[in-house]
Amino acid sequence: TLEDLIHVLRFRPSLALLASLSLDIANALMQLHHLGEFHGDVCPQNLFVTDNCNCKAGIFGVKSGVTPSPFVAPEVLCGEGFSAAADTYSLAATICELATGERVSHGLPEVQRISWKPFAHLLKRCIIPTPHRRPTLKQVVSELCELVRSLDTPAPYDLAPFKALLCRSLHQTSKLHLFPSLYWVHTLVQREREKHQRTITSLQSKVA
């Protein structure tokens, strides 16, 4: 889950990956809103990250009761009910946690801690206490696309740090075999490292 990625693996995405992951989530929510539905429970625990660092929305459905959470919009906590604007708030709180690596506490998420100012400004507008003043998901997606383009980073993005961290974690928990593509990458890298180490050892012995 995104929760694991942030707090267990302690992964800190590059700006390009941060914007890309945010765009994945926003796109999924926008499509849901086009269908006339709300997610109602957007948070890191309900979002899943693939081995190619794509983000997918998990189980959704407006709940009958509201559990107090820093990801729930303030108007929902006050009894106004779920809405598209509430999903936008939850999205911003979730992305804030991904960007800072720190758990969002109750109250407005601390977007000022995000150093990428245009990105922080977008999130700040998404958590405005007045629901109708927040941008729509369509606007959020459009602005995230502009932010991605502004980075001028060639696609596909560099996933090596992400995959290396994921491989180490899965290897330590004996789950790497469940991800064939990562397993073989990890195995080949290990073989190359061992081969390189043998070469270094051989050269050192000859010098000695």
Side-chain angles (χ1 to χ4, degrees), residues 26 29 46 67 69 79 81 112 122 125 127 140 143 153 191 196:
L29 292 175
N46 261 345
T67 302
S69 160
Q112 70 273 12
L122 172 59
R125 287 162 47 221
I127 60 169
V140 172
E143 292 189 37
T153 305
R191 287 175 181 173
H196 178 70

Side-chain angles (χ1 to χ4, degrees), residues 3 18 29 47 59 64 86 111 116 134 137 139 149 151-152 162 168 186 205 207:
E3 163 86 4
L18 174 62
L29 292 175
L47 296 164
I59 299 171
S64 56
V111 297
W116 188 14
R134 296 173 198 150
L137 262 298
Q139 291 171 318
R149 281 193 285 268
L151 293 172
D152 196 25
F162 166 76
R168 284 199 298 272
H186 178 75
S205 63
V207 171

